[in-house]
Amino acid sequence: WMFAEDFFTAPAMHRTRFIEPPWKAILSNKGILPLLWAMTPGHPNLLESYFADDPAASRLGGSFVLKPLASREGSNITLVADGSVLEATAGPYDAANAVVQALASMPAFDGQTPVIGSWIVGDKPCGIGIREDAGRITQNTSRFVPHAIIG
């Protein structure tokens, strides 16, 4: 969206480069999910996760979420419950390299499923964002919910 703003055509912007930090590629890659699970199986803050081609993935039975390794913002996600697809999204990512994760139901409020994203700078929490959608999968088209934390 930033690139679509009027200011982006300003001459100074022609000399500006936007680079995503390399560490973000690691944390946003879904391959971290089965690695974290393997390091701390049963951790209360993790869902059971495996690489899709791992025979151990069968432990999830017929209920799981299929996520391509590099997917972002809800693209190419498939929710499966008892062997039936509940919901799936389209997108540009290759599902050949994917992870499967235990299916966990998210609560809905007034028919909307919220997801909280949080940010840390250094070791300090610095912000949250809340997005919600009428579907089970939050995407880049989901609404951003105004919010305030008042202490």
Side-chain angles (χ1 to χ4, degrees):
W1 293 337
M2 183 171 67
F3 299 122
E5 293 292 328
D6 290 338
F7 81 87
F8 192 72
T9 59
M13 294 304 289
H14 295 203
R15 298 184 310 271
T16 305
R17 293 188 192 268
F18 293 88
I19 300 172
E20 201 163 37
W23 60 264
K24 190 169 179 281
I26 294 169
L27 295 178
S28 65
N29 187 298
K30 305 305 179 281
I32 199 169
L33 300 171
L35 298 177
L36 289 171
W37 183 258
M39 290 189 304
T40 55
H43 192 284
N45 293 335
L46 296 174
L47 291 171
E48 190 173 357
S49 303
Y50 303 96
F51 290 99
D53 61 357
D54 182 344
S58 64
R59 294 179 189 158
L60 297 176
S63 297
F64 56 88
V65 180
L66 179 70
K67 300 177 177 184
L69 290 179
S71 70
R72 295 183 66 237
E73 298 179 328
S75 292
N76 299 92
I77 303 296
T78 304
L79 305 179
V80 179
D82 299 321
S84 297
V85 173
L86 291 176
E87 191 169 332
T89 57
Y93 301 102
D94 182 8
N97 297 309
V99 300
V100 289
Q101 186 177 48
L103 179 64
S105 296
M106 298 288 291
F109 301 92
D110 294 327
Q112 303 296 311
T113 304
V115 172
I116 295 177
S118 59
W119 294 269
I120 297 174
V121 174
D123 61 353
K124 304 277 188 232
C126 64
I128 65 169
I130 304 170
R131 292 194 308 181
E132 67 180 11
D133 202 285
R136 293 179 179 102
I137 301 171
T138 307
Q139 302 177 62
N140 67 348
T141 55
S142 300
R143 286 170 299 287
F144 190 82
V145 180
H147 59 279
I149 298 174
I150 301 172

